[in-house]
Amino acid sequence: MFTAMLVKKFSPKFTALFRTLLYAIFALIILCLLVDRGVSFYVRDKVFTNIDELPPRAYALVLGTSKYIIGGKPNAYYEYRLAAAKELINHQKVNYLLLSGDNRTVQYNEPRAMFRDLRKMGVSEASMFRDFAGFRTLDSVIRADKIFQVQAFTIVSQKFHCERALLIAKAHDIDAICFVAKQPELPLSTRIREVFARIKAVLDLILGVEPYFLGEPQPLPNSATL
């Protein structure tokens, strides 16, 4: 009713333009929601929350994130991913961890931080490998397959992130499943960002976007499935 009253105050040409804009915004919102829900549906059979139901794989790909958030507080997403990775090792669901993340500066190094903290948590150094060029989710997933030549692996992250990573894996015919790390309280802003991240992921797949850096293959040992 409010929109109709507002439209009457303007010329017919402006009214038509205004209505077109409203329809376009509405259509865009619907498209975003369809992409978001479609990604979740597409990979639903690859997502595991119960470790007892998780098929064993030789490797887990642990997706990196910052250890701290703004203000220097510990990042719960980071802590829960490491806890999930250690749980996989303890339950013998994987033998090795591939720690993949951003390495943009000397001070900011996600794989190094994960390696050090997991070692403090009792995970053996011999069971961990690092990918310093996992600048994006797309890079981490594709490099695990093409560079490190891990034939099948378990992705470790929160559910919403896992689903996007699995979308990338399926689109590239990569054999991956996901073990869901505990989810901190999810702010609305983070959920909205994820919707747009999924749209970008779909566009990247359509456009054939490749990782920032590939290089020569570096096969990891014992990468066959358990």
Side-chain angles (χ1 to χ4, degrees), residues 8-144:
K8 289 181 180 178
K9 295 182 178 180
F10 300 99
S11 66
K13 184 179 293 187
F14 183 85
T15 298
L17 179 62
F18 185 73
R19 284 176 176 167
T20 300
L21 180 61
L22 285 178
Y23 293 149
I25 293 173
F26 181 73
L28 180 60
I29 292 173
I30 295 299
L31 177 61
C32 290
L33 293 176
L34 286 174
V35 170
D36 179 56
R37 292 295 85 206
V39 169
S40 297
F41 182 81
Y42 182 57
V43 300
R44 67 194 185 284
D45 60 327
K46 301 288 186 178
V47 178
F48 294 85
T49 57
N50 186 340
I51 196 166
D52 294 327
E53 298 175 356
L54 182 73
R57 298 283 175 98
Y59 277 87
L61 172 65
V62 186
L63 298 178
T65 186
S66 174
K67 183 175 179 178
Y68 301 102
I69 59 176
I70 296 175
K73 296 181 180 180
N75 182 358
Y77 287 90
Y78 174 89
E79 294 178 349
Y80 291 149
R81 290 182 198 180
L82 266 56
K86 185 176 187 299
E87 188 177 4
L88 291 177
I89 292 287
N90 289 346
H91 283 76
Q92 298 182 335
K93 290 295 183 174
V94 301
N95 283 343
Y96 304 98
L97 303 176
L98 175 57
L99 313 175
S100 181
D102 200 344
N103 175 31
R104 67 187 74 171
T105 67
V106 174
Q107 293 75 26
Y108 188 86
N109 190 316
E110 293 173 355
R112 182 178 63 191
M114 289 191 288
F115 182 87
R116 289 177 175 175
D117 289 337
L118 282 166
R119 187 174 56 189
K120 292 176 183 177
M121 294 165 65
V123 178
S124 167
E125 289 187 22
S127 65
M128 293 188 288
F129 300 90
R130 288 164 287 183
D131 178 11
F132 296 105
F135 304 117
R136 301 167 299 174
T137 304
L138 180 143
D139 299 61
S140 295
V141 172
I142 295 180
R143 283 176 55 82

Side-chain angles (χ1 to χ4, degrees), residues 134-177:
F135 304 117
R136 301 167 299 174
T137 304
L138 180 143
D139 299 61
S140 295
V141 172
I142 295 180
R143 283 176 55 82
D145 176 64
K146 289 188 176 181
I147 300 302
F148 298 103
Q149 298 185 358
V150 179
Q151 299 303 311
F153 52 87
T154 298
I155 298 170
V156 177
S157 190
Q158 279 70 32
K159 185 178 180 182
F160 69 89
H161 191 198
C162 270
E163 291 175 342
R164 176 157 44 94
L166 287 170
L167 168 71
I168 295 168
K170 287 189 72 171
H172 286 272
D173 294 321
I174 296 172
D175 184 2
I177 55 178

